[in-house]
Amino acid sequence: MSFLLIDKKVSSEKYQKIIDAAVKVFSKKGFFNSKVADVAKEANVADGTIYLYFKNKDDLPISIFEHSMDYFFHHTQDALKDIHCPREKLRKFISLHLSLVQKNQNLAIVLQVELRSSHKFMTEYKPDKFFQYLQIVEDIMLQGQKEGLFTDKINPQIAKRVIFGAIDELALEWILMRNKRYSIEEAAEQLFSIIYEGMKVA
Amino acid sequence: MSFLLIDKKVSSEKYQKIIDAAVKVFSKKGFFNSKVADVAKEANVADGTIYLYFKNKDDLPISIFEHSMDYFFHHTQDALKDIHCPREKLRKFISLHLSLVQKNQNLAIVLQVELRSSHKFMTEYKPDKFFQYLQIVEDIMLQGQKEGLFTDKINPQIAKRVIFGAIDELALEWILMRNKRYSIEEAAEQLFSIIYEGMKVA
Amino acid sequence: MSFLLIDKKVSSEKYQKIIDAAVKVFSKKGFFNSKVADVAKEANVADGTIYLYFKNKDDLPISIFEHSMDYFFHHTQDALKDIHCPREKLRKFISLHLSLVQKNQNLAIVLQVELRSSHKFMTEYKPDKFFQYLQIVEDIMLQGQKEGLFTDKINPQIAKRVIFGAIDELALEWILMRNKRYSIEEAAEQLFSIIYEGMKVA
Amino acid sequence: MSFLLIDKKVSSEKYQKIIDAAVKVFSKKGFFNSKVADVAKEANVADGTIYLYFKNKDDLPISIFEHSMDYFFHHTQDALKDIHCPREKLRKFISLHLSLVQKNQNLAIVLQVELRSSHKFMTEYKPDKFFQYLQIVEDIMLQGQKEGLFTDKINPQIAKRVIFGAIDELALEWILMRNKRYSIEEAAEQLFSIIYEGMKVA
DNA sequence: TATGAATGAGTGTTCATTCAT
DNA sequence: AATGAATGAACACTCATTCAT
């Protein structure tokens, strides 16, 4: 989880310890059922210390979200920058997202389950970083349509959500499944197949 | 929302009023930020009255969930029973779900956003009714594959989740979108197109 | 417990059922931990019915107390009226009280344990009926002193309390004792012996 | 009441303030009629502070009881250790208990009236410390019988309860009496006289 | 910086009491 | 008289946040 660290003001070791602890605690007990004291204990710091690095409890999930999305965005952009074919970009995006989720399951739970509920998130808070990440998919779509690879009949706005929703659900189920009935790679490939076949020019 | 009513012990008018109020309140403020008193006020009953019909606060979202899923399940089964072609069943399932969501937006928010977070839901609580509903999609898949309409290369387990995730995300975005950039019917048709084209035998 | 019934306004069968139920419930769970609904259930009446016979919850222990004390007082007076010797009166009083307690253990618990705590009892409420009952002991004392049987050195006020305290404690311990290590008759006789020997003129 | 302090974890000043406040409040309003907020206010601490030192409301009377009994026990043992004659031991025990009660009237009320009702106390909770204290009386009895000072006809089990019950009742009445009609010393001496004369070998 | 004892506002739940039937 | 559904005031307890050290 330590990849969350990006900017400078945040480069303190304590900050990271708290973020990591929060991800662990929130993923296990849920945001609302977690106490600030739980996070402090997990991070091996005093309760008050958390308030030296975060404005309040709500600031924790927001920070987790922003840092994660930044990471997802840059990591994905980086991985896609040498791929030109929209088909392969799409394939890569899907497998990359699922593999990130697989490697950071606690974080994934927090992002998908806990944050989605935090109301502040879905309404008041503008998830700009998330939109930025989603935009990658739309850009792939648009490129594919421009190049005549994907059908024009599909609205990229809708496709973007279809793709993201499918990835998200697959990822969530996979994490919560006790005895995995399929590998994350298999899921990635099948999802890609459905989406690609479903959007390609006949 | 009054369709939630199913069994007898529950056929009281007060019970319905409370359920409806809870859906409204939870969808607006979120489960954790809603007070029992808020629900009571919205339902025009005393705080204590809620405890005559529900074990505790947690029992409210659970009841909402179970009744909704029952309704979704039976309503959908009923609508599909005269359709034989898997292709048309799939199309119907998608458009039906999205139209139900459109007609019950507050309920949809509670089901998709609030419940998903309630932790009890995603872990302890066995969402049997939800699985039952999901099974409809898997059955369509299996029938389609048997009849040679859908490709065998796709694992129905995965397809089921892909389809549900895509519907879910589309529905959620559509509800939260302020100025609707596409109609729910358009979304349904495009989603169907992607999924169907993506799974049909070439 | 049905001896509690004495005056007319109270001669209803329901009234008795409620009093009996209250004694049973209070003795088992304590006054403050008992709900009016518990008493109603035990009495096989509706909650509201209790309020047709009693002003409020506090009225229940008060009524139990008054009726019991009346009974104890009259029953004891009756038993003593044909005895003249203060020595035998004292012996009778002690054995009678202990045997009444033995026969009505639930009632005894309520009177000794629950009521003593009810604060209203020990302070606001004037336990006239109790004083009346206690007065019997004082009268025995005074008679004994007048007749030269009991020493004048003992203040009857104090003796009265000593005797009552000793009876009370013995009774309470006897009731709460799981495996009785002595019979109630033995206790009565020994207590009588101590008190009598301790007060008789040498 | 500051003698209640005994072990280390409890040596905090706040703990004592809360215990003292609880004794004061419970003695005035009764345990069940006292709110935790009342105790907090009396102790000049916040409501929540009480829960840093006590598990819950029920823990307050239990702690008061245990500390008091410890104090009574050690204080009495200490005072008796240089007295050898059972007669004088008995006299000392009685006068000591009554004088302790006189000096700590609020505490006495809590111990005698409130705790006796708490049901947890008389049933679930094993009042070991109380039994330990009571044992002092029994030991005096047994020694007196062995030395031929007290009659063998009296069962020490019973005598112990007779003595304690009498002390207890005297103490309670004395505290609750508005205009004291006798001094506590007079009561002690008279009680001693009755018990001693009642038990000595003729 | 870091601590953690102290705070006190906030809330789920209970239950004595009422009253329409 | 009798019922029991409905009420809503009351309260124990939690926990995010502060601040003296």
Side-chain angles (χ1 to χ4, degrees):
Chain A
M1 227 74 58
S2 48
F3 64 75
L4 291 175
L5 180 142
I6 281 155
D7 56 273
K8 41 262 125 187
K9 72 159 185 174
V10 140
S11 49
S12 137
E13 190 211 356
K14 282 261 159 76
Y15 182 93
Q16 269 309 311
K17 273 171 64 181
I18 295 170
I19 284 279
D20 290 353
V23 167
K24 197 165 177 185
V25 170
F26 292 168
S27 70
K28 200 185 301 178
K29 313 176 59 170
F31 174 71
F32 282 101
N33 295 314
S34 301
K35 300 165 213 161
V36 171
D38 293 338
V39 176
K41 198 172 182 186
E42 178 70 38
N44 279 315
V45 296
D47 296 15
T49 304
I50 290 184
Y51 292 85
L52 298 176
Y53 295 91
F54 300 88
K55 192 160 154 273
N56 51 33
K57 190 187 175 188
D58 282 341
D59 197 22
L60 281 170
I62 290 178
S63 299
I64 292 171
F65 184 80
E66 304 234 309
H67 283 86
S68 304
M69 280 302 138
D70 257 347
Y71 174 77
F72 270 63
F73 178 69
H74 289 109
H75 191 269
T76 307
Q77 280 237 310
D78 198 55
L80 296 186
K81 75 170 187 291
D82 294 329
I83 303 173
H84 284 283
C85 170
R87 183 178 186 277
E88 292 314 308
K89 275 187 179 171
L90 181 62
R91 187 203 296 268
K92 187 74 180 175
F93 180 89
I94 290 171
S95 69
L96 206 52
H97 185 102
L98 285 173
S99 103
L100 283 175
V101 162
Q102 186 182 26
K103 284 188 203 128
N104 302 281
Q105 300 192 14
N106 286 342
L107 176 64
I109 289 176
V110 173
L111 293 177
Q112 287 187 247
V113 176
E114 297 310 323
L115 294 193
R116 186 169 286 211
S117 75
S118 178
H119 227 254
K120 285 233 183 65
F121 254 77
M122 306 309 288
T123 53
E124 299 169 37
Y125 174 77
K126 270 278 175 212
D128 292 326
K129 309 263 184 179
F130 175 59
F131 289 151
Q132 196 183 26
Y133 179 62
L134 266 192
Q135 191 58 36
I136 295 177
V137 187
E138 191 172 340
D139 289 343
I140 296 174
M141 276 291 303
L142 290 166
Q143 186 196 347
Q145 289 181 326
K146 210 169 94 189
E147 298 181 3
L149 186 68
F150 295 151
T151 173
D152 284 337
K153 288 189 296 188
I154 298 299
N155 177 344
Q157 301 282 339
I158 294 177
K160 172 174 67 175
R161 291 288 178 168
V162 164
I163 294 168
F164 187 74
I167 299 184
D168 217 40
E169 177 73 19
L170 270 182
L172 184 59
E173 196 212 4
W174 192 85
I175 290 173
L176 298 180
M177 238 188 320
R178 287 166 210 279
N179 49 343
K180 318 295 191 195
R181 284 172 300 192
Y182 49 81
S183 72
I184 203 96
E185 290 81 14
E186 183 190 351
E189 194 50 35
Q190 294 224 340
L191 172 55
F192 166 72
S193 166
I194 296 176
I195 299 297
Y196 175 70
E197 296 297 326
M199 299 203 308
K200 77 158 189 263
V201 169
Chain B
M1 229 74 56
S2 49
F3 62 75
L4 293 175
L5 180 143
I6 282 156
D7 57 275
K8 43 257 127 189
K9 75 157 188 174
V10 142
S11 53
S12 134
E13 187 211 357
K14 283 258 158 75
Y15 182 94
Q16 270 308 313
K17 272 171 64 181
I18 293 168
I19 284 278
D20 291 353
V23 167
K24 196 164 177 185
V25 170
F26 293 166
S27 70
K28 200 186 300 175
K29 312 177 60 169
F31 174 70
F32 283 102
N33 296 312
S34 300
K35 299 167 220 157
V36 171
D38 294 337
V39 175
K41 199 172 183 186
E42 178 69 37
N44 277 316
V45 295
D47 295 14
T49 303
I50 290 184
Y51 292 86
L52 297 177
Y53 294 91
F54 301 88
K55 196 162 153 271
N56 50 33
K57 191 189 175 188
D58 282 341
D59 196 23
L60 282 170
I62 289 178
S63 299
I64 291 171
F65 182 81
E66 303 235 309
H67 282 86
S68 304
M69 280 302 137
D70 258 346
Y71 174 76
F72 269 64
F73 178 71
H74 288 109
H75 191 268
T76 306
Q77 282 236 309
D78 199 56
L80 295 185
K81 75 170 186 291
D82 294 329
I83 303 175
H84 283 282
C85 170
R87 183 180 188 274
E88 292 314 308
K89 276 188 180 169
L90 182 62
R91 186 204 296 272
K92 188 71 180 175
F93 180 88
I94 290 171
S95 70
L96 208 50
H97 185 101
L98 285 172
S99 103
L100 282 175
V101 162
Q102 185 182 26
K103 284 188 204 126
N104 301 282
Q105 299 193 15
N106 285 340
L107 176 63
I109 289 176
V110 173
L111 292 178
Q112 288 187 246
V113 177
E114 297 309 325
L115 294 194
R116 187 168 287 210
S117 75
S118 181
H119 223 253
K120 283 235 185 64
F121 255 78
M122 304 311 288
T123 53
E124 299 169 38
Y125 176 78
K126 270 277 173 212
D128 292 326
K129 309 263 186 180
F130 174 60
F131 289 149
Q132 198 183 26
Y133 180 60
L134 266 192
Q135 190 58 36
I136 295 178
V137 188
E138 191 173 339
D139 289 343
I140 296 175
M141 277 291 302
L142 289 166
Q143 185 195 348
Q145 288 180 326
K146 208 170 95 187
E147 297 180 5
L149 187 67
F150 296 149
T151 173
D152 283 336
K153 287 188 297 187
I154 300 298
N155 178 344
Q157 301 281 341
I158 294 177
K160 171 173 68 174
R161 290 289 176 166
V162 164
I163 293 169
F164 187 74
I167 299 185
D168 216 39
E169 177 73 20
L170 269 182
L172 185 58
E173 194 210 4
W174 191 84
I175 289 172
L176 298 180
M177 240 190 317
R178 287 165 212 280
N179 49 342
K180 316 297 189 196
R181 285 172 298 191
Y182 50 80
S183 73
I184 203 93
E185 291 81 10
E186 184 190 351
E189 194 51 34
Q190 294 224 340
L191 171 57
F192 166 72
S193 166
I194 295 176
I195 299 297
Y196 175 69
E197 297 295 328
M199 299 202 310
K200 76 157 189 264
V201 168
Chain C
M1 228 74 56
S2 50
F3 63 75
L4 292 175
L5 180 142
I6 282 156
D7 57 273
K8 41 261 124 190
K9 71 159 185 173
V10 141
S11 50
S12 137
E13 189 211 354
K14 282 262 159 75
Y15 182 94
Q16 269 310 311
K17 272 172 62 181
I18 294 168
I19 285 279
D20 291 352
V23 167
K24 198 164 176 184
V25 171
F26 292 166
S27 70
K28 200 185 301 177
K29 312 177 59 171
F31 174 71
F32 282 102
N33 295 313
S34 300
K35 300 165 213 163
V36 171
D38 293 338
V39 176
K41 197 172 183 187
E42 178 70 39
N44 279 315
V45 296
D47 296 13
T49 304
I50 290 185
Y51 291 85
L52 298 176
Y53 294 91
F54 300 88
K55 193 162 153 274
N56 50 33
K57 190 189 175 187
D58 282 341
D59 197 22
L60 281 169
I62 291 178
S63 299
I64 292 172
F65 183 79
E66 303 232 311
H67 282 87
S68 304
M69 281 301 137
D70 257 347
Y71 174 76
F72 269 63
F73 178 69
H74 288 109
H75 190 267
T76 306
Q77 280 237 309
D78 200 52
L80 296 185
K81 73 169 188 293
D82 294 329
I83 303 173
H84 282 283
C85 171
R87 183 179 187 275
E88 293 313 309
K89 276 188 178 168
L90 182 61
R91 189 203 294 270
K92 189 71 180 178
F93 180 89
I94 289 171
S95 69
L96 207 52
H97 185 101
L98 285 172
S99 102
L100 283 174
V101 162
Q102 187 182 24
K103 284 187 203 127
N104 303 281
Q105 300 192 14
N106 285 342
L107 177 62
I109 289 176
V110 174
L111 292 177
Q112 289 186 247
V113 176
E114 296 311 323
L115 294 194
R116 186 168 286 210
S117 75
S118 179
H119 225 254
K120 283 234 185 63
F121 255 77
M122 306 309 288
T123 53
E124 298 169 38
Y125 174 77
K126 271 278 174 213
D128 292 327
K129 308 264 185 182
F130 174 59
F131 289 150
Q132 198 184 26
Y133 178 62
L134 266 191
Q135 190 58 37
I136 295 179
V137 188
E138 192 172 341
D139 289 343
I140 297 176
M141 276 292 302
L142 290 167
Q143 186 195 347
Q145 288 180 327
K146 210 169 94 187
E147 296 180 4
L149 186 69
F150 295 151
T151 174
D152 283 338
K153 287 190 298 189
I154 298 299
N155 178 343
Q157 302 280 340
I158 294 176
K160 172 174 65 177
R161 290 289 177 167
V162 166
I163 294 168
F164 186 74
I167 300 184
D168 217 40
E169 177 73 18
L170 271 181
L172 185 58
E173 195 211 4
W174 192 85
I175 289 172
L176 298 181
M177 239 189 318
R178 288 166 209 278
N179 49 344
K180 318 295 191 195
R181 284 172 300 191
Y182 49 81
S183 73
I184 202 98
E185 291 81 12
E186 184 190 352
E189 194 51 33
Q190 294 224 339
L191 172 55
F192 167 72
S193 167
I194 296 175
I195 299 296
Y196 174 69
E197 296 296 326
M199 299 203 309
K200 75 157 190 264
V201 168
Chain D
M1 228 72 58
S2 48
F3 63 74
L4 292 176
L5 179 142
I6 281 155
D7 57 275
K8 43 257 125 190
K9 77 156 187 175
V10 143
S11 52
S12 132
E13 190 211 355
K14 283 258 157 77
Y15 182 94
Q16 271 308 313
K17 274 172 63 180
I18 294 169
I19 284 278
D20 291 353
V23 167
K24 198 165 177 184
V25 170
F26 292 166
S27 70
K28 201 184 298 176
K29 313 177 60 169
F31 174 71
F32 283 102
N33 295 312
S34 300
K35 300 166 221 156
V36 171
D38 294 338
V39 176
K41 199 173 182 185
E42 178 69 38
N44 277 316
V45 295
D47 295 16
T49 304
I50 291 185
Y51 293 87
L52 296 179
Y53 294 92
F54 300 89
K55 195 161 152 275
N56 51 33
K57 191 188 176 189
D58 282 341
D59 196 24
L60 281 170
I62 290 179
S63 299
I64 292 172
F65 182 80
E66 303 235 309
H67 282 86
S68 304
M69 280 302 138
D70 258 346
Y71 174 76
F72 269 64
F73 178 70
H74 289 109
H75 191 267
T76 306
Q77 280 235 310
D78 198 55
L80 295 186
K81 76 168 185 294
D82 294 330
I83 303 175
H84 283 282
C85 171
R87 181 180 189 274
E88 292 314 307
K89 275 187 179 170
L90 182 62
R91 186 203 294 273
K92 189 71 181 177
F93 180 88
I94 291 171
S95 69
L96 208 52
H97 185 101
L98 286 172
S99 102
L100 283 175
V101 163
Q102 185 182 25
K103 284 188 203 125
N104 302 282
Q105 299 192 15
N106 285 341
L107 177 62
I109 290 177
V110 174
L111 292 178
Q112 287 187 247
V113 177
E114 297 309 324
L115 293 195
R116 189 167 285 208
S117 76
S118 179
H119 224 254
K120 283 236 185 63
F121 254 78
M122 305 310 287
T123 52
E124 298 169 39
Y125 175 78
K126 270 276 173 212
D128 293 326
K129 310 262 184 180
F130 175 60
F131 289 150
Q132 196 184 28
Y133 180 61
L134 265 191
Q135 190 58 36
I136 295 178
V137 188
E138 191 172 340
D139 289 343
I140 297 175
M141 277 291 302
L142 290 168
Q143 187 196 347
Q145 288 181 327
K146 209 170 94 187
E147 297 180 3
L149 186 69
F150 296 151
T151 174
D152 283 337
K153 288 189 298 189
I154 299 299
N155 178 343
Q157 303 280 341
I158 295 177
K160 173 173 66 174
R161 290 288 177 168
V162 165
I163 294 169
F164 187 74
I167 300 185
D168 217 40
E169 178 73 18
L170 270 182
L172 185 58
E173 194 211 5
W174 191 85
I175 289 172
L176 298 180
M177 239 189 319
R178 288 166 212 277
N179 50 343
K180 317 294 190 198
R181 286 171 299 190
Y182 49 81
S183 73
I184 203 96
E185 291 81 11
E186 185 190 351
E189 194 51 35
Q190 294 224 340
L191 171 56
F192 167 71
S193 167
I194 295 176
I195 298 298
Y196 176 69
E197 296 295 327
M199 298 202 310
K200 76 157 188 262
V201 169

